[in-house]
Amino acid sequence: MWALLGLALVFGWRGRELGFGVLWSALLLLAWISLTHMPGRFAIPLIAPLTLGIGRGCAIESARGAWRWRALGVAAAVAALVGGMQSAMMFQEETRLWTQAVGVPSALAFAGDIESFVSPEAQPLNALGPDAYVWLVGDATPFYLTIRAHYTVVFSRDPWLEFAASHDANASLNWLRERGVTHVWFAWGEIARLGGTYGFPAIVTREWVGGLVEAGARAVVDAPDGTLLQIAVD
């Protein structure tokens, strides 16, 4: 769609509707870049002004030369081909990840089978049991958990991390104990992604988590994608 709208500008198509579509697209693009962490789904509102701009550009009398229509068709075909290839590649990657994680090719395998979807095999944190209370740091999938959990979205301030930023490891662990927290889960992949876009509390590093372990927490899981600490109860 960007290529088609670009052709409209290159060909010199004019019109108030086309100008409005271009301005609308530019403002939405600016908002997407500056106010979000730029996943593609947040750019979906751009479809409306892009479509309007392309449609009005094609309807303008000066755009109806034969070579221009051919160029428009080629651009549309290329855009469709690239989009199809991207979709196929993303589907293959999702299938690989699901198969690797839980032995099924996609989330559709769980359709109508909620118990399997939230099973410990699919959601390892659910294996902690009904008495667990997990503090999620960076994890974006709290609704898949059947155990008690605390989740702070990236737009909010995490009270524990704010406390820990000005206190030592022992005091930070005691803060959790006082609230009945039994485990802390650090989702390193999501933490890194958010740290490169919205930003993430600078205190959250593997070195800092190592200090929590030295202060009495136990590393139940310590993998590249996540670390699970068990908080010993005094």
Side-chain angles (χ1 to χ4, degrees):
M1 296 183 72
W2 287 110
L4 298 179
L5 186 61
L7 283 177
L9 299 176
V10 170
F11 291 163
W13 297 345
R14 297 292 183 267
R16 286 185 300 176
E17 294 91 345
L18 178 58
F20 177 70
V22 172
L23 178 61
W24 186 4
S25 300
L27 291 175
L28 282 175
L29 182 62
L30 180 63
W32 180 66
I33 292 173
S34 59
L35 301 178
T36 80
H37 57 293
M38 299 175 65
R41 65 184 181 276
F42 289 175
I44 287 177
L46 280 164
I47 293 175
L50 287 173
T51 303
L52 175 63
I54 294 166
R56 293 306 301 160
C58 294
I60 296 173
E61 187 68 29
S62 63
R64 296 180 181 176
W67 70 271
R68 289 173 176 172
W69 277 111
R70 294 191 189 98
L72 186 66
V74 170
V78 170
L81 179 61
V82 172
M85 292 175 60
Q86 288 178 327
S87 297
M89 292 170 61
M90 291 174 66
F91 180 76
Q92 290 177 348
E93 178 65 9
E94 179 180 349
T95 298
R96 184 188 68 80
L97 292 174
W98 272 95
T99 302
Q100 178 182 333
V102 294
V104 298
S106 75
L108 294 177
F110 292 111
D113 188 0
I114 300 301
E115 289 186 1
S116 295
F117 188 75
V118 300
S119 67
E121 291 76 21
Q123 313 297 336
L125 289 179
N126 288 336
L128 295 177
D131 295 330
Y133 178 18
V134 183
W135 197 276
L136 303 173
V137 180
D139 196 320
T141 58
F143 299 117
Y144 301 155
L145 301 181
T146 56
I147 60 175
R148 186 184 180 192
H150 171 91
Y151 170 65
T152 302
V153 300
V154 70
F155 304 106
S156 305
R157 293 182 295 184
D158 187 300
W160 177 53
L161 296 181
E162 285 195 330
F163 177 87
S166 57
H167 294 78
D168 62 19
N170 286 304
S172 298
L173 292 178
N174 286 333
W175 190 97
L176 294 172
R177 293 188 185 104
E178 291 170 0
R179 289 156 179 80
V181 177
T182 61
H183 297 79
V184 181
W185 169 248
F186 297 91
W188 295 117
E190 189 71 359
I191 290 170
R193 184 178 73 85
L194 295 174
T197 52
Y198 286 123
F200 206 80
I203 189 177
V204 183
T205 63
R206 288 186 178 273
E207 291 73 22
W208 176 66
V209 172
L212 296 176
V213 172
E214 293 177 0
R218 184 168 71 90
V220 179
V221 175
D222 190 10
D225 60 338
T227 297
L228 178 65
L229 299 185
Q230 183 177 19
I231 310 302
V233 179
D234 292 337

